[in-house]
Structure formats: structure tokens, C-alpha cells
Amino acid sequence: MTGCSPTATPTAEAGLIVPPGEGRTLRAAAQHVTFKVTGAQSRLASSFEVLVPPGFDVGAHVHARSEELFYVLEGELDVLAFEPLVRTPDGWRGWRSPKGERVVRATPGTVILVPPGCPHAFANPTGVPARMFFQSSPPPDHERYFEELLEILSRGGPVDHGAIAALRRRYDIEQLTPLRHDEPERSQ
């Protein structure tokens, strides 16, 4: 294999190759995030592979400075990427834009680009995990956000929405609707 190791800093002489399954992975019941390219390796964007379990809803939110790109690899996600006529605080799935846009069911191969200031959300309404590639620019704020979010979500018990709200304010995230993780009930 050519190129530098996944933990190295790319140079003009050697780029970065991150093989499948490699990268630092953070796990919680609500999400698995694998860091593929970090701010230490790129000045343009942080890149992640995210496993979204059934029942996870990131909640509608907006960034003043960050741009994000999502690419659905496996499974299906409900996604939002527009300013609605009305921002209802309890949920985003019924939102509609002034142009008539509605929430979309994203399947493998779907790309979602979210510029700064654009409300967006994703949720997995199905019974199987979804997997997506995710980029956030500029780095490394989203890396730090994921680390702290997964620490909160790993505590067990009900989600601490106050802690998540404070975390999001620190990382340029205006939360519009709540983050939810309603794990599907298992058949007995």
C-alpha cells in the first residue's frame, strides 16, 4: 500500500489512505462514529463514517458557520435540508418549505449538501441501521462535538437534553427540535 498511515499527516510526497474498517471509532447506543480524516490531517474538512441505528433522530438544527455534506451508503434515512415555512419545536418531519419541499427518504447514493444557515436533520425510521459518509467544514469542531456527544449518550438512562443543548451551543449548533433515540422494542 502506498501513502501514509491513517494517523499520519499527509504531505506533498505522501497522501492519506484510510482502509475500510480503519479510523478511530466512538460508540454509543445512539450512534457509532468512525473518524476517517481529522483536522490534524486536513485543513478543509473532517470526514466520518456514521452508523445511524433504528430510532435515532438527530433533531433539526442549523449552523451559522459550518458546511456539511452527507452521503448515504447503506439503509435509509429521512432527511431535511431547507428553511421551513414554520419551525415547529416538537418535530421536523412534517415541515414544508415556501417552495413546497418536504422531508425526503434518502437511499444509498443520496447526497445532501447543507450550507451555513440551512436547517437540516436526519433520522432512521426503519428497523435496520443506516450508514453514511459525513463531512464537516471547517475542522476540527465536529470532531470535538462527536467526542463530547457520545460521552453524554454513553451515560445510560434517559438522554440528558440539557447537557446536549449546552454542548451544541459551544459548537455552532442551534437546536430547533430535540435529539431523540427511541430504540425499537425487541420481539420476545
Side-chain angles (χ1 to χ4, degrees):
M1 175 181 294
T2 60
C4 58
S5 74
T7 58
T9 302
T11 66
E13 294 81 31
L16 176 67
I17 298 172
V18 183
E22 300 255 343
R24 183 169 66 108
T25 300
L26 303 176
R27 289 181 174 84
Q31 249 181 356
H32 292 197
V33 178
T34 301
F35 292 50
K36 294 296 190 174
V37 179
T38 68
Q41 299 155 326
S42 171
R43 58 188 166 85
L44 300 177
S46 299
S47 299
F48 314 90
E49 186 174 312
V50 179
L51 185 66
V52 184
F56 182 79
D57 177 350
V58 74
H61 58 283
V62 64
H63 309 284
R65 297 177 305 276
S66 298
E67 179 172 273
E68 296 179 332
L69 179 128
F70 304 89
Y71 183 88
V72 179
L73 299 166
E74 295 175 359
E76 297 181 355
L77 296 170
D78 285 346
V79 297
L80 162 84
F82 58 79
E83 180 65 56
L85 285 166
V86 178
R87 292 181 178 183
T88 54
D90 56 335
W92 53 269
R93 294 193 191 184
W95 288 5
R96 188 170 51 96
S97 80
K99 295 180 184 178
E101 298 160 303
R102 295 185 179 273
V103 170
V104 172
R105 178 65 54 96
T107 57
T110 303
V111 172
I112 303 98
L113 178 63
V114 182
C118 180
H120 57 288
F122 64 85
N124 183 347
T126 74
V128 297
R131 193 168 59 94
M132 68 177 170
F133 178 77
F134 166 60
Q135 275 191 323
S136 179
S137 179
D141 279 358
H142 232 81
E143 297 160 39
R144 293 180 186 132
Y145 168 74
F146 274 137
E147 290 168 340
E148 293 180 42
L149 175 63
L150 288 170
E151 183 179 305
I152 292 168
L153 296 176
S154 295
R155 293 178 187 159
V159 173
D160 183 344
H161 293 287
I164 291 173
L167 173 69
R168 288 184 169 208
R169 281 190 299 273
R170 283 196 313 275
Y171 290 107
D172 182 34
I173 303 169
E174 178 189 351
Q175 193 68 30
L176 305 175
T177 66
L179 177 146
R180 294 185 172 107
H181 184 213
D182 302 319
E183 295 183 66
E185 293 184 26
R186 300 196 190 279
S187 301
Q188 297 182 340

